[in-house]
Amino acid sequence: EIELADVTAQSWQIRNVMLSPPKITLAILSHGQLEMISRCLESILNITVYPHFEILIVTNELPSDPLFNQWLHEATQLTLSPKIRINFTKADANHPSRCNRAVSDAENDLVVLVRDECVIIQDIWLDELVRTCQERDVAAASPLLHRAGDAKIMGAGKVLGLIGGWESPYEHNASVDDTGYLDHLRVTRDVSALSSSCMLISKSHYESVGGMDEIALGDNHSVLDFGLKLRRKNWRLIVQPRSSIIFGGETKPFDIKHSLEGAVAEITATEALLNRWGKTALIDPYWNPNLSLAESVPSPEIELLPEWLYSPSAKPRFLAHSLENAQGNYRIISPLNAAYKAGLATRFIWPQ
């Protein structure tokens, strides 16, 4: 059974009617920040109206933090419905490790993976995600993520190749009232990758692709890789704007050593991802090729003006796009510039 719902003056959506809401496992993923996880749990218990779910807290072991462990013990006694359970990962476990543990320990097929930095602000957020995942071939769905304080958009699904990597359109550039290009921020959309902050996923789909990569990708690109694996099986990933949550900010420790280690890990993970997927990880089938990839707000690509369009020549023509690193400069930009200066070719290096 379905129903039509108005979205804007020019758009509407088809919604599934839930006659019998399925049971859900809602997994809160934490690495031990008491302030964040207590706020997240409180918002879930006080605001969520979905009738059938359990709460599973998956957190790193912190034997040296008695206050946090005392809170965990007390949390399991807060309520009998929903039931609250605790599961521990290693002290140095990363986000995909917590996700894999949560799905493995979930008692239901539908599992919400939500980071403890998130805050629930909408009573029907979970209902809307469940409706979406009941559609045919849908493996996972995410809500819109809003920034704490001003509610600007932080996550609306990832676009492959956006701003030289994998970014969300409108990130930090749209307010809660903006509808976006062609109602981009109002209509349900297929995307190539979902946010790591919150997603509803089918356990059977999750396990069929081997879960998330804890080792080669870790905290960098494991969710993107997971989305690509699902799409390779022709399953759909959906952003559902009717569901919205607040992302309260990162809880990772910040110091120079951690920052340098994180930068190195990201470079290593990016290389591993590109070696694994090649151009598949950079070409987005859901992003109009006439739109620019150089900025997060969708706009027509009008800056492509190669030299040969206004100065015809019989020389070979090279249209190139390089990665923004030393390898891209060494292997692509420098040779093309040298050939151009020697009069052997014309070239245009596209910033897309």
Side-chain angles (χ1 to χ4, degrees):
E1 186 175 350
I2 62 172
E3 62 185 13
L4 288 177
D6 291 332
V7 177
T8 67
Q10 62 183 0
S11 300
W12 66 90
Q13 291 183 339
I14 297 174
R15 306 172 66 198
N16 286 307
V17 176
M18 283 195 301
L19 300 177
S20 179
K23 293 182 178 180
I24 305 292
T25 294
L26 200 163
I28 303 175
L29 312 172
S30 172
H31 48 76
Q33 294 289 331
L34 180 54
E35 178 184 357
M36 293 290 184
I37 192 172
S38 59
R39 183 183 64 181
C40 179
L41 177 61
E42 182 180 0
S43 70
I44 291 171
L45 293 176
N46 291 340
I47 297 176
T48 304
V49 296
Y50 191 83
H52 307 303
F53 69 96
E54 66 160 349
I55 294 176
L56 172 63
I57 297 175
V58 179
T59 182
N60 295 11
E61 292 181 338
L62 295 173
S64 61
D65 192 340
L67 184 62
F68 181 71
N69 287 296
Q70 176 64 23
W71 180 88
L72 288 175
H73 174 73
E74 294 174 354
T76 62
Q77 312 300 319
L78 285 176
T79 174
L80 296 177
S81 180
K83 177 175 65 175
I84 300 176
R85 299 189 290 125
I86 311 292
N87 201 321
F88 291 97
T89 55
K90 295 180 180 179
D92 60 347
N94 53 27
H95 179 72
S97 299
R98 291 187 286 272
C99 289
N100 290 341
R101 178 64 61 85
V103 173
S104 175
D105 197 43
E107 295 181 351
N108 304 295
D109 183 61
L110 288 178
V111 184
V112 179
L113 301 174
V114 58
R115 289 171 53 170
D116 63 356
E117 296 98 329
C118 295
V119 179
I120 305 307
I121 56 171
Q122 181 190 34
D123 56 356
I124 60 169
W125 71 282
L126 187 51
D127 302 67
E128 295 297 346
L129 293 181
V130 173
R131 288 175 189 265
T132 304
C133 282
Q134 288 183 325
E135 295 180 17
R136 186 179 64 179
D137 299 330
V138 173
S142 279
L144 284 184
L145 296 179
H146 297 271
R147 187 168 67 187
D150 58 10
K152 284 187 177 286
I153 294 294
M154 281 197 66
K158 298 290 185 181
V159 174
L160 308 183
L162 188 62
I163 316 180
W166 304 275
E167 301 293 339
S168 170
Y170 293 102
E171 187 170 357
H172 305 304
N173 287 309
S175 68
V176 68
D177 296 324
D178 291 338
T179 59
Y181 173 73
L182 294 179
D183 292 338
H184 188 92
L185 298 175
R186 288 290 182 269
V187 298
T188 305
R189 295 178 294 105
D190 285 88
V191 294
S192 292
L194 297 173
S195 167
S196 66
S197 299
C198 180
M199 72 170 73
L200 175 63
I201 178 74
S202 162
K203 181 175 181 176
S204 56
H205 287 98
Y206 190 99
E207 293 179 336
S208 72
V209 297
M212 295 189 190
D213 187 338
E214 306 175 13
I215 301 173
L217 301 179
D219 284 326
N220 298 284
H221 310 319
S222 59
V223 178
L224 173 61
D225 173 73
F226 174 65
L228 291 171
K229 290 190 292 185
L230 289 171
R231 286 184 47 242
R232 183 168 57 187
K233 289 181 171 286
N234 295 318
W235 290 323
R236 300 169 61 199
L237 308 176
I238 302 294
V239 168
Q240 179 51 266
R242 291 195 301 269
S243 177
S244 295
I245 65 174
I246 293 290
F247 183 74
E250 295 283 352
T251 60
K252 295 179 181 179
F254 180 79
D255 54 51
I256 295 178
K257 180 182 178 182
H258 181 270
S259 179
L260 291 175
E261 290 175 347
V264 172
E266 183 175 6
I267 293 172
T268 303
T270 299
E271 183 178 356
L273 181 76
L274 293 176
N275 286 338
R276 182 177 300 176
W277 291 99
K279 66 180 183 180
T280 302
L282 295 170
I283 301 175
D284 199 308
Y286 304 114
W287 188 255
N288 189 320
N290 295 305
L291 296 179
S292 174
L293 289 168
E295 55 187 59
S296 67
V297 177
S299 59
E301 177 58 75
I302 59 175
E303 297 183 0
L304 176 59
L305 192 61
E307 178 183 347
W308 52 80
L309 291 183
Y310 57 84
S311 181
S313 170
K315 299 174 184 177
R317 304 171 181 177
F318 291 91
L319 173 63
H321 169 58
S322 68
L323 297 176
E324 295 180 356
N325 55 27
Q327 188 178 48
N329 185 70
Y330 177 77
R331 295 182 180 275
I332 297 177
I333 296 178
S334 293
L336 281 180
N337 286 340
Y340 175 75
K341 291 178 181 179
L344 300 176
T346 58
R347 52 91 173 96
F348 181 80
I349 300 174
W350 199 1
Q352 271 278 29

